[in-house]
Amino acid sequence: MATRARRAERREEPLSRERIVEAAIGILDTVGESGLTFRVLAERLATGPGAIYWHVSGKDELLGAATEVVVAGTVLGGDPGATPQEATRALALRLFDAIDAHPWIGTQLARSPGRSPMLQVFEQLGRQVQALGVPRPARFTAASALLNYILGVGGQNAANAHGQESEKNRTEFLDTVATTWASLDPEEYAFTRDVAEQLRDHDDRAEFLAGIDLILAGIAASRDERRS
């Protein structure tokens, strides 16, 4: 009886676009894009699919709205007194963590380069590139390099983490791969053997930020070369 009462009470809550998007994000985080259907969403919200269609036209609009909510919370904020390098690193790390928490986000952003969420990210990166003093002809390339790195590494990290499910599994996976690398032919894979131990013990977030720093250093060097 208590369960029926709770369900009835839930049905009395007003259905809104915000509630629908929030529920969709929960489903996406749990089972991924393939598991998000209007039937599952209707069950989660204790309503009918028709009521959901009143607020969103279809799955594409729902995915876009869910992406926009997550990205807006990620892009906004930051320290207004930060240097362009600090602001870029902070934004990159927020996006990295957002993709880690919501693995479907990276795919949605890459799939919709002309939509608002991706444009918000690109705009913020571009502003930092501009603040770094990068000449106008090189700004698109610099911002694109940062964006592609963030989405690529963030998406790969999220996929790996989702497959391993726990820190123990991650440690075992890296240990297995590092052991395989260390046993490769020393002439054919000299470099890979040499970095095997670094793979075993590396920190994903630290390596991600180190890559951002490399890109920023390259941007600065290219900027100074163009000025000289």
Side-chain angles (χ1 to χ4, degrees), residues 7 9 43 90 99 119-120 124 128 164 172 217 221 226:
R7 288 178 177 173
E9 181 181 349
E43 291 176 357
I99 295 172
L119 293 177
Q120 289 175 1
Q124 292 304 313
Q128 301 311 319
Q164 292 150 13
E172 291 175 350
R226 286 171 178 266

Side-chain angles (χ1 to χ4, degrees), residues 117-173:
M118 179 66 118
L119 293 177
Q120 289 175 1
V121 174
F122 189 65
E123 175 68 20
Q124 292 304 313
L125 290 172
R127 290 187 182 191
Q128 301 311 319
V129 165
Q130 188 173 6
L132 284 168
V134 175
R136 189 173 184 277
R139 291 173 188 168
F140 172 78
T141 301
S144 296
L146 285 165
L147 178 63
N148 291 333
Y149 175 81
I150 292 168
L151 295 183
V153 177
Q156 185 61 56
N157 175 77
N160 291 340
H162 182 71
Q164 292 150 13
E165 297 181 355
S166 72
E167 185 61 29
K168 180 181 178 182
N169 289 343
R170 176 185 181 276
T171 301
E172 291 175 350
F173 172 76

Side-chain angles (χ1 to χ4, degrees), residues 20-185:
I20 293 170
V21 172
E22 180 182 0
I25 291 173
I27 294 170
L28 287 164
D29 290 347
T30 304
V31 296
E33 182 181 337
S34 62
L36 177 63
T37 66
F38 273 54
R39 179 182 62 80
V40 171
L41 187 59
E43 291 176 357
R44 174 73 65 93
L45 293 166
T47 188
I52 296 174
Y53 279 111
W54 180 262
H55 296 276
V56 291
S57 61
K59 187 172 180 177
D60 285 345
E61 181 182 345
L62 187 57
L63 285 168
T67 303
E68 190 165 353
V69 167
V70 174
V71 171
T74 300
V75 172
L76 299 178
D79 181 3
T83 66
Q85 292 89 341
E86 292 169 342
T88 300
R89 293 177 90 253
L91 174 58
L93 192 56
R94 291 198 301 272
L95 287 168
F96 180 85
D97 290 340
I99 295 172
D100 185 55
H102 311 281
W104 48 276
I105 281 291
T107 301
Q108 289 305 310
L109 287 172
R111 187 182 294 170
S112 307
R115 293 186 178 178
S116 177
M118 179 66 118
L119 293 177
Q120 289 175 1
V121 174
F122 189 65
E123 175 68 20
Q124 292 304 313
L125 290 172
R127 290 187 182 191
Q128 301 311 319
V129 165
Q130 188 173 6
L132 284 168
V134 175
R136 189 173 184 277
R139 291 173 188 168
F140 172 78
T141 301
S144 296
L146 285 165
L147 178 63
N148 291 333
Y149 175 81
I150 292 168
L151 295 183
V153 177
Q156 185 61 56
N157 175 77
N160 291 340
H162 182 71
Q164 292 150 13
E165 297 181 355
S166 72
E167 185 61 29
K168 180 181 178 182
N169 289 343
R170 176 185 181 276
T171 301
E172 291 175 350
F173 172 76
L174 291 179
D175 184 69
T176 299
V177 176
T179 300
T180 300
W181 284 14
S183 64
L184 292 170
D185 183 277

Side-chain angles (χ1 to χ4, degrees), residues 180-195:
T180 300
W181 284 14
S183 64
L184 292 170
D185 183 277
E187 294 185 3
E188 189 173 1
Y189 296 100
F191 172 79
T192 304
R193 280 172 55 96
D194 187 55
V195 300

Side-chain angles (χ1 to χ4, degrees), residues 89 149 204-217:
R89 293 177 90 253
Y149 175 81
D204 293 326
R205 292 173 91 249
E207 289 296 324
F208 172 76
L209 282 178
I212 291 291
D213 288 340
L214 282 174
I215 296 174
L216 288 173

